């Protein structure tokens, strides 16, 4: 392994270990040996995740008169998945090792071994595996099944429904089928968008790379409806820039982002253009973070056909009736969280010691302020706790009175707390506290009466 790859792998190991040790992310069902592709978010992880979702909602729903939100169900009518094409073909091609019984994504296996991208061509992948005598990455043997399709939807049964019901593999479907209700119950005029944040489930053949590829995850999606004859390219460009900006707001550096336009031959028949925003992850380099697709009128036309409901828009000003076209910006919550962790992680040497800091953008930091009395004596702890109780009404705070002040600063740096407040014996006299900045480590003496405004200004 090259030195830079080694460093990246080390960085990832350190992040995963910190995430567990400090309560950001735990392996799902860990005490039972784990359940692949599922994770729990601990006390800090849930704050970070909620902050990311709130930032997204504020950016794309509350700040825009042309976007409204919904919260649809995870369980949706089975016909929806026939209409959308998921029942027929939502998945990846797989291949099984007959020796060790491990299952692999065929396109990844072929591409890793030969550099060839044969995704979607099962016969060609079977041939490439045979011709190149590709060995099983797990057991090293060469004894494969043919490459075949695998549907990634999780199936379940529901009382009163004859057919199988599926856990939704994307949130988008729940949005398309509410199109008529939204038109009828709001005064939105085209162009406008419908946004949703929610869980999605995919029975991935191989989950992995920590929280990058999961079987249970969350998406933040917008279906943006436009006139079929609209000059859509400038709007497409605007949306992709907004997606890149959101990645920057999570803390990503510009040089770690790039765009990947899907080649024409790989586009779905209905899509005019699809672009992924990729991030340079510490495992394997650039990979999909967000996506933007022009989906034409495919979704509304299909749902109209399968439901027998007219899904059209009537323009009262022009008297025109039409099926809108859709631009779909889609974002993964866990990939956003992973980008925020990877971008924030930093180590610096101070007086011969390594300081680990998560330099989160302040608005997504899980804890905003830590209150640290210089001594555990009641003389200090009582007024410091009082301060904690007051500040906690406006900012997520932690109170910590154990161990030396240096150790407590390090603990807060490690979870990315932007401000530490030290309450000392002088505070009793001058009614002021010391505020330490996470990034510069500079300290300000601030009057307690002015503290709330001081923090508000710094944090918002
Ligand atoms: N409605 C379009 C759609 O679902 P997608 O590219 O399949 O498109 C959208 O998924 C986003 O969801 C991705 O850009 C990624 O951030 C996230 N995502 C997809 N599959 C995922 C998985 N298995 N684990 C974690 N996040 C995933």
């Amino acid at each position: 392994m090259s030195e830079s790859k080694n460093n990246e792998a080390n960085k990832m190991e350190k992040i995963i270990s910190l995430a567990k040790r400090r309560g950001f992310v735990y392996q799902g069902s860990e005490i039972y040996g784990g359940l692949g592709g599922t994770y729990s978010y601990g006390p800090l992880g849930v704050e970070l995740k909620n902050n990311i979702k709130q930032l997204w909602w504020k950016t794309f729903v509350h700040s825009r008169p042309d976007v409204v939100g919904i919260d649809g169900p995870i369980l949706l009518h089975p016909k929806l998945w026939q209409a959308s094409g998921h029942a027929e073909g939502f998945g990846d091609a797989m291949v099984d090792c007959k020796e060790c019984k491990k299952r692999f994504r065929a396109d990844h296996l072929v591409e890793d071994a030969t550099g060839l991208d044969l995704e979607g061509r099962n016969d060609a992948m079977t041939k490439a595996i045979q011709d190149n005598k590709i060995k099983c990455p797990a057991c090293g043997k060469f004894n494969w099944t043919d490459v075949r399709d695998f549907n990634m939807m999780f199936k379940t049964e529901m009382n009163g429904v004859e057919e199988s019901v599926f856990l939704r593999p994307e949130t988008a479907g729940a949005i398309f089928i509410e199109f008529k209700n939204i038109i009828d119950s709001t005064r939105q005029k085209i162009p406008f968008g419908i946004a949703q944040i929610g869980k999605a489930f995919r029975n991935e053949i191989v989950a992995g790379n920590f929280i990058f590829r999961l079987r249970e995850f969350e998406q933040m999606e917008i279906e943006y409806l436009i006139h079929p004859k609209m000059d859509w390219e400038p709007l497409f460009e605007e949306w992709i820039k907004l997606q890149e900006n959101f990645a920057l707001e999570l803390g990503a550096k510009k040089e770690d982002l790039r765009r990947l336009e899907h080649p024409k031959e790989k586009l779905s028949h209905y899509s005019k253009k699809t672009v992924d925003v990729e991030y340079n992850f510490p495992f394997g380099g650039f990979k999909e973070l967000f996506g933007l697709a022009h989906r034409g009128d495919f979704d509304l036309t299909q749902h109209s056909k399968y439901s027998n409901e007219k899904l059209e828009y009537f323009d009262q000003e022009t008297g025109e009736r039409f099926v809108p076209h859709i631009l779909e910006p889609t974002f993964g919550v866990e990939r956003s969280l992973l980008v925020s962790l990877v971008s924030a992680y930093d180590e610096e040497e101070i007086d011969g010691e390594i300081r680990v800091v998560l330099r989160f953008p302040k608005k997504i930091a899980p804890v905003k302020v830590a209150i640290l009395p210089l001594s555990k004596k009641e003389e200090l702890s009582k007024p410091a706790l009082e301060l904690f109780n007051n500040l906690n009404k406006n900012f997520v705070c932690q109170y910590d009175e154990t161990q030396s002040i240096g150790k407590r600063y390090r603990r807060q740096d490690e979870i990315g707390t932007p401000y530490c407040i030290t309450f000392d014996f002088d505070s009793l006299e001058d009614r002021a506290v010391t505020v330490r900045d996470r990034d510069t480590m500079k300290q300000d003496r601030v009057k307690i009466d002015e503290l709330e405004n001081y923090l508000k200004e710094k944090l918002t």
Side-chain angles (χ1 to χ4, degrees):
M1 204 190 269
S2 73
E3 197 180 338
S4 80
K5 271 196 175 161
N6 213 354
N7 288 343
E8 292 291 89
N10 278 344
K11 178 176 174 183
M12 205 53 221
E13 264 174 39
K14 285 180 189 170
I15 291 171
I16 294 171
S17 147
L18 170 66
K20 179 173 179 187
R21 189 162 40 81
R22 298 307 310 271
F24 283 92
V25 186
Y26 314 124
Q27 169 65 60
S29 308
E30 193 178 6
I31 63 164
Y32 289 106
L35 186 67
T38 67
Y39 283 86
S40 275
Y41 298 85
L44 294 177
V46 68
E47 295 294 337
L48 180 58
K49 214 175 186 211
N50 284 343
N51 290 347
I52 290 171
K53 290 192 274 185
Q54 275 161 18
L55 177 66
W56 189 88
W57 198 261
K58 186 165 172 238
T59 309
F60 294 110
V61 185
H62 285 170
S63 307
R64 300 185 59 126
D66 61 340
V67 178
V68 290
I70 66 157
D71 184 19
I74 285 169
L75 298 171
L76 294 150
H77 198 287
K79 266 195 186 168
L80 185 157
W81 307 118
Q82 289 167 21
S84 66
H86 284 82
E88 186 67 15
F90 176 67
D92 294 311
M94 64 176 179
V95 60
D96 291 320
C97 171
K98 288 193 208 161
E99 300 290 332
C100 71
K101 313 288 179 223
K102 281 246 160 65
R103 178 166 284 177
F104 297 90
R105 257 182 79 162
D107 56 329
H108 288 176
L109 184 77
V110 172
E111 194 166 352
D112 289 350
T114 66
L116 293 172
D117 177 4
L118 300 177
E119 195 189 349
R121 296 167 55 198
N122 292 2
D123 289 345
M125 287 193 276
T126 299
K127 189 166 178 319
I129 291 170
Q130 295 304 323
D131 289 355
N132 293 285
K133 299 239 169 322
I134 300 174
K135 289 193 179 132
C136 170
C139 70
K141 303 262 171 56
F142 173 67
N143 189 6
W144 298 102
T145 61
D146 284 351
V147 171
R148 58 201 193 282
D149 286 329
F150 174 78
N151 195 308
M152 292 199 295
M153 286 203 291
F154 281 98
K155 210 189 262 188
T156 187
E157 305 305 321
M158 194 166 171
N159 284 332
V161 181
E162 258 178 43
E163 299 153 82
S164 292
V165 170
F166 299 93
L167 303 187
R168 65 182 183 198
E170 59 174 22
T171 55
I175 301 181
F176 298 131
I177 61 169
E178 297 310 338
F179 166 75
K180 192 171 178 305
N181 277 332
I182 304 255
I183 295 279
D184 291 347
S185 61
T186 71
R187 300 177 59 78
Q188 292 299 326
K189 287 202 172 79
I190 274 178
F192 80 94
I194 309 169
Q196 182 178 215
I197 300 180
K199 288 260 185 186
F201 302 83
R202 294 183 188 178
N203 197 2
E204 294 282 353
I205 297 170
V206 184
N209 282 330
F210 191 37
I211 54 170
F212 179 80
R213 195 172 300 285
L214 299 163
R215 297 198 169 97
E216 175 176 345
F217 57 99
E218 282 186 272
Q219 292 182 318
M220 308 181 279
E221 297 198 293
I222 300 163
E223 305 304 328
Y224 198 81
L225 302 134
I226 59 173
H227 191 286
K229 293 204 180 108
M230 182 190 192
D231 174 18
W232 56 270
E233 303 243 21
L235 188 60
F236 194 98
E237 176 63 24
E238 209 177 287
W239 270 111
I240 202 90
K241 278 199 181 126
L242 290 173
Q243 294 192 284
E244 287 167 339
N245 275 346
F246 188 73
L248 296 175
E249 290 216 57
L250 298 173
K253 292 180 194 73
K254 238 184 179 153
E255 62 270 25
D256 285 328
L257 294 174
R258 75 173 188 197
R259 295 177 186 187
L260 177 79
E261 181 166 349
H262 292 207
K264 290 266 177 302
E265 65 277 10
K266 280 201 160 190
L267 286 180
S268 322
H269 64 276
Y270 49 80
S271 178
K272 290 202 172 112
K273 186 170 178 169
T274 298
V275 173
D276 291 342
V277 174
E278 294 192 325
Y279 178 78
N280 191 8
F281 287 98
F283 42 85
F286 283 94
K287 291 182 192 302
E288 180 183 345
L289 171 61
F290 307 142
L292 175 63
H294 187 310
R295 299 183 58 89
D297 64 0
F298 174 76
D299 304 281
L300 292 180
T301 307
Q302 283 294 101
H303 291 303
S304 184
K305 197 165 123 195
Y306 278 74
S307 66
N308 289 324
E309 275 283 348
K310 260 202 172 127
L311 300 178
E312 288 178 340
Y313 178 79
F314 176 63
D315 188 329
Q316 289 185 338
E317 276 165 33
T318 62
E320 197 186 359
R321 222 173 255 288
F322 58 88
V323 179
H325 283 201
I326 285 177
L327 299 186
E328 181 189 67
T330 175
F331 305 67
V333 173
E334 288 77 2
R335 287 189 194 176
S336 299
L337 193 148
L338 186 52
V339 164
S340 74
L341 276 174
V342 168
S343 318
Y345 188 88
D346 192 22
E347 291 177 0
E348 63 180 354
E349 199 180 314
I350 296 193
D351 301 331
E353 267 188 46
I354 298 292
R355 174 173 97 114
V356 173
V357 201
L358 287 182
R359 297 187 193 276
F360 289 126
K362 289 171 191 166
K363 58 187 144 199
I364 62 166
V367 177
K368 307 288 191 234
V369 182
I371 290 101
L372 317 171
L374 206 59
S375 146
K376 267 192 209 168
K377 285 189 184 142
E378 202 187 347
E379 193 185 355
L380 288 194
S381 67
K382 200 163 168 239
L385 260 175
E386 220 166 83
L387 185 62
F388 166 79
N389 286 329
N390 278 337
L391 292 177
N392 215 9
K393 289 180 191 135
N394 288 310
F395 315 100
V396 177
C397 294
Q398 273 195 355
Y399 177 84
D400 186 3
E401 58 178 24
T402 53
Q403 295 190 302
S404 73
I405 193 72
K407 282 205 171 126
R408 281 182 273 167
Y409 281 155
R410 294 290 175 269
R411 277 208 288 271
Q412 293 300 329
D413 289 342
E414 213 183 32
I415 63 168
T417 307
Y419 295 102
C420 286
I421 294 175
T422 313
F423 196 103
D424 53 32
F425 288 99
D426 288 342
S427 306
L428 298 172
E429 302 299 322
D430 64 2
R431 300 296 301 153
V433 286
T434 303
V435 183
R436 172 200 181 257
D437 183 290
R438 173 196 72 196
D439 297 326
T440 61
M441 292 193 289
K442 279 206 182 117
Q443 304 195 350
D444 271 351
R445 194 80 182 160
V446 181
K447 289 277 178 208
I448 291 175
D449 284 350
E450 291 159 17
L451 197 53
E452 204 169 305
N453 281 341
Y454 174 93
L455 289 170
K456 255 187 200 150
E457 210 168 279
K458 297 265 186 193
L459 286 165
T460 48

